[in-house]
Amino acid sequence: MSPAGPDHGTGTGPAAPRPADDGLRELAAQEERLVLDSFGNEDAWRLGSLLVELARERGAAVTIGIRRGAQQLFHCALPGTSADNDAWIARKSAVVERYAESSYLVGARFRAKGRTFEESSRLDADRYAAHGGAFPLRLRGTGVIGVVAVSGLPQADDHALVVEGLERYLAAG
């Protein structure tokens, strides 16, 4: 073993980062970067409308939901979606509320350990889904105050749409 830790391969130093580790770091970095200074009802309308616009540009059939605490501030179900999308939003949002991290990051942490969220979390799969698409609304100096969620695309794409929407919303001020 090298002084820096176990050697995996060359015998000359620490192991190179695994791709899964890089992915986890990127997901965590998104959460550190996408922090809000304030968030009210009008902010939910602007963010939600921006996400609707992005989805329509892509022809994406998604449902979008934004909650602050227990109150739903924004909801839009685009053509091609169903009540199943609302159920997915509720389950993914429950993961964010429980772990204070994006549903995609939570699922990725389980997968990085070679486990599934469904088998290892011991949570009811009818209430929790660690699939991409729900992201914490985090206030600087306060913490998580809500959730923005998208459902209708593959989980990585749901997550990417939310992240892009938050990035554009923050860039617009």
Side-chain angles (χ1 to χ4, degrees), residues 34-40 136-145:
L34 300 173
V35 177
L36 306 159
D37 290 317
S38 63
F39 196 79
L137 293 171
R138 189 179 319 272
L139 287 186
R140 194 172 322 284
T142 301
V144 176
I145 55 95

Side-chain angles (χ1 to χ4, degrees), residues 7 32 76 95 101 136 149 173:
D7 181 5
E32 291 173 18
C76 181
V95 168
E101 295 180 322

